């Protein structure tokens, strides 16, 4: 029997920090001895980690990633991208359906679940995609028929694209409304990529620019706002549990804030690139900074940080979307694929802010506030609740699945050191304070 003792770490809990010794046996948490001022109990195990001054979190959850398998293995595989997740303290991911074939059928979901069974390091859940009416019939079978119960357990919700993005999964006419109705009826979390196809198409047609910064003009803030307004309206009419993916605008945030005040079951996530990068970064990033929704002006970033502070934003999720470096360099610039990797750098970037530093080489006029407990809420508790993932907390008899954080560790981000198959990062050379290491299996 192998036992492990983590001695003297501080468990970051929603209810407050707790200094404790944690004893584990065969990957299961045995007892948690909370430190009091009195004499310490003498504990022994086969292996001991001295965790004085370190923080303990449940293994982090990233509820929005693209791991590219099957079909797009030149960009990444479940194996390589899971390694990247683990190296960034993330032990659970929710993976998107824009693979090849897309995850719009039970057979495609089954194939992904089969591949994921070979990955022992990371708990990979899958979103079901809906582009056509037939997909909703499949979804209904998946959700209601007994024979699919184990597959259903691996499916965390439905993903709907209002406009095309990488993978061309825009829902067909009429399917959006139907998807809201079916998800409401079957009580399935519905994640929506909110950008308006009419506004985007019109702006693309009128666009005369060729440089990459035009991407932010073509997919303008109004496009996201209009799509969010309409999604909230549909959620109101149908009662669907709506989750807005990668919210990126000030007005979008206000709309979600108002919907929450109105008591609607609406939640949202923001992506690290919308918190840390802005249109000012196109100059250094070029096409590497092309993503959907696009980079926004700095006032939007500031508003998103305020949304984190106020609690309107439920989750931070990476939208990890690796493309090869060569694919991203294609010309003309506006034809480069959209998406940046981020599953490995998300927690380190947030830890840096919690340590009171700003990782971007260029200074900001504002200093966002973030506590370690906020990181736990944004990247564990809220995604765990919203997508009913049932991932273990740090408690007796739970599976040991922890992220041990050295809050003072200093290092630099370099694409060549990261584990994603794509080998590059939009945060090249950034200085980080804080390192997360995974302890235990998933
Ligand atoms: C994503 C991708 O590359 O898969 N790209 C992106 O810019 N976010 C697709 C998506 O989710 O929009
Ligand atoms: Zn995405």
């Amino acid at each position: 029997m192998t036992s492990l003792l983590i001695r003297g770490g501080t468990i970051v809990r929603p209810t407050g920090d707790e200094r404790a010794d944690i004893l584990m046996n065969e990957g299961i948490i045995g007892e948690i001895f909370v430190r009091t001022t009195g004499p310490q109990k003498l504990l022994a195990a086969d292996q001991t980690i001295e965790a004085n001054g370190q923080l303990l979190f449940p293994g982090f959850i990233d509820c929005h990633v693209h791991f590219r398998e099957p079909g797009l293995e030149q960009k990444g595989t479940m194996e390589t991208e899971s390694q990247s997740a683990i190296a960034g303290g993330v032990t659970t991911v929710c993976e998107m359906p824009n693979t090849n074939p897309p995850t719009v059928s039970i057979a495609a979901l089954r194939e992904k679940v089969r591949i994921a069974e070979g990955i022992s390091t990371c708990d990979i859940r899958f979103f079901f995609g809906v582009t056509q009416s037939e997909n909703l019939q499949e979804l209904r079978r998946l959700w209601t028929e007994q024979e699919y119960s184990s597959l259903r357990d691996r499916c965390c919700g439905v993903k709907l694209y209002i406009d095309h993005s990488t993978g061309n999964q825009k829902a067909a006419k009429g399917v959006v409304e139907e998807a809201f109705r079916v998800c409401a009826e079957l009580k399935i979390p519905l994640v929506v990529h909110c950008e308006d196809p009419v506004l985007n198409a019109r702006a693309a047609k009128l666009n005369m620019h060729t440089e990459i910064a035009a991407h932010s003009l073509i997919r303008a803030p109004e496009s996201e706002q209009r799509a969010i307004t309409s999604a909230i309206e549909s959620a109101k009419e149908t009662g669907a549990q709506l989750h807005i993916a990668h919210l990126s605008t000030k007005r979008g945030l206000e709309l979600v804030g108002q919907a929450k005040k109105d008591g609607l079951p609406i939640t949202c996530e923001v992506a690290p690139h919308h918190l840390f990068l802005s249109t000012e970064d196109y100059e250094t990033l070029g096409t590497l900074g092309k993503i959907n929704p696009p980079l926004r002006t700095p006032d939007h970033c500031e508003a998103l940080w305020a949304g984190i502070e106020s609690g309107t934003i439920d989750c931070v999720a990476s939208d990890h979307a690796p493309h090869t470096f060569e694919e991203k360099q294609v010309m003309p610039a506006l034809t480069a694929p959209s998406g940046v990797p981020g599953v490995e750098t998300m927690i380190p970037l947030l830890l840096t802010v919690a340590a009171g530093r700003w990782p971007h080489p260029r200074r900001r006029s504002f200093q966002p506030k973030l506590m370690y407990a906020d990181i736990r809420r944004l990247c564990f508790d809220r995604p765990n609740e919203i997508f009913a993932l049932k991932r273990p907390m740090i408690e007796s008899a739970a599976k040991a699945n922890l992220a041990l954080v050295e809050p003072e560790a200093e290092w630099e981000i370099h694409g060549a050191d990261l584990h994603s198959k794509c080998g590059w990062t939009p945060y090249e050379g950034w200085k980080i304070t804080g390192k997360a290491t995974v302890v235990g299996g998933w």
Side-chain angles (χ1 to χ4, degrees):
M1 184 144 125
T2 52
S3 55
L4 172 67
L5 173 64
I6 303 181
R7 187 152 49 198
T10 299
I11 305 174
V12 178
R13 296 198 189 276
T15 47
D17 291 355
E18 187 176 83
R19 201 149 170 250
D21 300 323
I22 304 178
L23 200 50
M24 307 175 195
N25 277 309
E26 304 282 3
I28 303 289
I29 297 177
E31 263 189 280
I32 298 176
F33 301 90
V34 176
R35 292 265 179 122
T36 51
T37 43
Q40 294 309 309
K41 203 173 160 128
L42 270 184
L43 300 168
D46 301 336
Q47 201 198 335
T48 300
I49 296 175
E50 295 296 347
N52 265 336
Q54 301 196 29
L55 305 174
L56 283 158
F57 294 83
F60 291 107
I61 298 171
D62 186 345
C63 64
H64 187 149
V65 303
H66 302 261
F67 276 7
R68 306 304 195 198
E69 196 175 354
L72 303 162
E73 289 86 353
Q74 82 279 11
K75 300 174 195 281
T77 66
M78 283 199 213
E79 181 61 47
T80 58
E81 304 318 286
S82 292
Q83 291 301 331
S84 190
I86 293 298
V90 170
T91 59
T92 306
V93 297
C94 303
E95 209 266 346
M96 290 296 167
N98 58 336
T99 40
N100 189 12
T103 326
V104 295
S105 66
I106 292 172
L109 174 66
R110 187 185 288 118
E111 174 59 6
K112 277 198 173 177
V113 168
R114 187 193 66 75
I115 302 169
E117 272 161 10
I119 313 285
S120 57
T121 46
C122 188
D123 184 353
I124 311 178
R125 311 293 178 94
F126 300 101
F127 283 104
F128 195 91
V130 172
T131 58
Q132 306 290 334
S133 240
E134 301 91 90
N135 309 148
L136 285 167
Q137 287 158 24
E138 285 270 302
L139 177 70
R140 189 179 285 284
R141 289 179 54 213
L142 173 69
W143 230 259
T144 53
E145 294 180 18
Q146 177 57 31
E147 65 176 295
Y148 301 126
S149 73
S150 62
L151 268 187
R152 191 154 66 230
D153 287 347
R154 309 308 301 161
C155 181
C156 45
V158 163
K159 172 72 182 289
L160 201 61
Y161 285 88
I162 306 297
D163 194 6
H164 281 316
S165 186
T166 308
N168 292 342
Q169 288 213 320
K170 177 183 160 189
K173 215 171 156 18
V175 172
V176 174
E177 294 71 20
E178 207 185 334
F180 270 88
R181 275 198 303 277
V182 173
C183 286
E185 181 199 328
L186 300 176
K187 299 196 178 2
I188 306 174
L190 174 59
V191 176
V192 183
H193 179 133
C194 288
E195 290 190 272
D196 184 83
V198 177
L199 291 187
N200 285 359
R202 189 184 302 158
K205 211 165 153 198
L206 293 175
N207 172 54
M208 308 286 280
H209 303 272
T210 52
E211 74 281 2
I212 190 60
H215 186 59
S216 292
L217 304 174
I218 296 170
R219 299 178 84 116
E222 295 70 34
S223 169
E224 176 174 282
Q225 290 148 31
R226 187 198 276 220
I228 290 180
T229 303
S230 149
I232 291 176
E233 211 41 56
S234 305
K236 211 191 247 173
E237 274 166 27
T238 56
Q241 183 196 323
L242 168 66
H243 180 81
I244 312 276
H246 38 50
L247 181 100
S248 66
T249 59
K250 219 170 6 179
R251 183 75 191 118
L253 181 69
E254 287 166 8
L255 292 166
V256 172
Q258 187 56 50
K260 287 186 173 206
K261 281 200 192 108
D262 295 343
L264 297 170
I266 289 172
T267 54
C268 70
E269 74 194 27
V270 289
H273 42 263
H274 291 127
L275 290 170
F276 291 97
L277 299 171
S278 72
T279 45
E280 294 178 352
D281 292 289
Y282 279 129
E283 202 183 317
T284 46
L285 291 175
T287 50
L288 293 183
K290 184 168 184 264
I291 37 157
N292 297 331
L295 295 178
R296 307 293 189 192
T297 47
D299 51 320
H300 290 281
C301 307
E302 190 168 352
L304 296 179
W305 279 107
I308 285 187
E309 219 185 303
S310 71
T312 304
I313 289 167
D314 296 274
C315 315
V316 175
S318 71
D319 192 10
H320 176 77
H323 297 283
T324 68
F325 191 74
E326 294 70 34
E327 286 167 338
K328 287 294 265 186
Q329 298 304 321
V330 72
M331 290 304 270
L334 289 173
T335 64
S338 296
V340 295
V343 71
E344 190 167 345
T345 45
M346 173 175 78
I347 297 295
L349 288 168
L350 295 175
L351 290 173
T352 306
V353 178
R357 314 255 169 89
W358 180 245
H360 197 302
R362 194 176 42 244
R363 294 221 63 75
R364 272 279 150 85
S365 54
F366 63 97
Q367 177 60 43
K369 283 196 208 68
L370 191 72
M371 313 287 281
Y372 291 109
D374 295 326
I375 303 180
R376 165 156 179 164
R377 168 174 61 87
L378 295 159
C379 301
F380 181 77
D381 294 303
R382 290 302 285 138
N384 205 26
E385 289 158 11
I386 293 167
F387 300 106
L389 301 173
K390 301 199 187 92
R391 296 298 293 143
M393 315 262 174
I394 304 179
E395 60 197 6
S396 227
K399 248 187 185 173
N401 178 246
L402 313 178
L404 185 61
V405 166
E406 286 177 72
E408 306 294 334
E410 298 199 351
W411 56 284
E412 275 183 23
I413 297 179
H414 292 290
D417 301 334
L418 300 177
H419 298 73
S420 169
K421 195 166 182 184
C422 74
W424 61 273
T425 169
Y427 313 109
E428 185 64 38
W430 287 27
K431 290 186 173 26
I432 294 298
T433 305
K435 177 124 198 69
T437 311
V438 168
V439 179
W442 72 260

